[in-house]
């Protein structure tokens, strides 16, 4: 984090940075170091996810960033109840992206942003 702090200090767009991390302790430390920036905990597993969502809210994270295939209505609803955003990664299928946005996912990571947006508009 000290090296990251130096980079952020020199950034002209520091207020636009969003931090994501698989490691729980690291994302919590990042949130403490950069309280003005959104921080999201990454996961690809449903195991223990409900508890982590509640803990993320308690610790002041902006939300969770989940592998798209584990996201369902229950997960999104629990996040909303805890005032957290749900982001999804990595989605390159328009039908899957539509499913996620219909559930209320806030953001989607994709390899083809323009194409995905255009294809979703056709659905």
């Amino acid at each position: 984090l000290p090296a990251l702090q130096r980079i952020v200090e020199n950034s002209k767009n520091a207020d636009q940075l969003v931090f994501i991390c698989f490691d729980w302790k690291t994302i919590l430390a990042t949130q403490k170091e950069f309280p003005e920036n959104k921080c999201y905990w990454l996961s690809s597993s449903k195991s223990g996810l409900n508890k982590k969502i509640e803990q993320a809210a308690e610790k002041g994270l902006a939300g969770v960033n989940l592998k798209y295939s584990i996201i369902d209505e229950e997960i999104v609803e629990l996040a909303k109840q805890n005032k957290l955003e749900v982001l999804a990664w990595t989605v390159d299928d328009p039908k899957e992206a539509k499913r996620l946005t219909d559930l209320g996912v806030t953001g989607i990571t994709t390899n083809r942003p323009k194409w995905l947006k255009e294809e979703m508009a056709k659905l």
Side-chain angles (χ1 to χ4, degrees):
L1 287 179
L4 184 58
Q5 178 66 35
R6 288 189 297 277
I7 293 167
V8 171
E9 285 174 0
N10 292 324
S11 173
K12 293 179 180 161
N13 300 317
D15 60 328
Q16 296 177 22
L17 295 175
V18 172
F19 298 102
I20 60 174
C21 185
F22 283 105
D23 185 74
W24 181 250
K25 290 179 183 178
T26 301
I27 199 60
L28 295 181
T30 304
Q31 179 64 44
K32 285 182 183 179
E33 189 71 30
F34 305 99
E36 301 301 317
N37 298 84
K38 289 184 175 186
C39 293
Y40 299 86
W41 176 67
L42 283 156
S43 182
S44 62
S45 173
K46 270 192 150 176
S47 177
L49 184 55
N50 290 359
K51 184 175 181 178
K52 279 295 190 198
I53 287 173
E54 292 171 1
Q55 291 174 337
E58 290 169 11
K59 298 295 185 179
L61 296 180
V64 292
N65 192 341
L66 305 173
K67 182 173 181 173
Y68 74 91
S69 59
I70 68 169
I71 299 172
D72 59 24
E73 189 174 344
E74 178 187 339
I75 295 296
V76 174
E77 184 57 36
L78 181 59
K80 284 182 183 180
Q81 289 172 6
N82 283 278
K83 297 179 176 50
L84 295 175
E85 295 178 88
V86 176
L87 307 181
W89 54 272
T90 299
V91 181
D92 293 326
D93 177 345
K95 289 179 184 171
E96 184 62 21
K98 175 124 177 52
R99 178 188 78 84
L100 293 166
T101 55
D102 288 349
L103 285 175
V105 168
T106 308
I108 295 174
T109 299
T110 180
N111 293 309
R112 303 174 69 187
K114 182 180 178 191
W115 175 86
L116 187 64
K117 186 175 180 179
E118 290 169 352
E119 293 300 308
M120 285 177 66
K122 297 176 185 176
L123 297 177

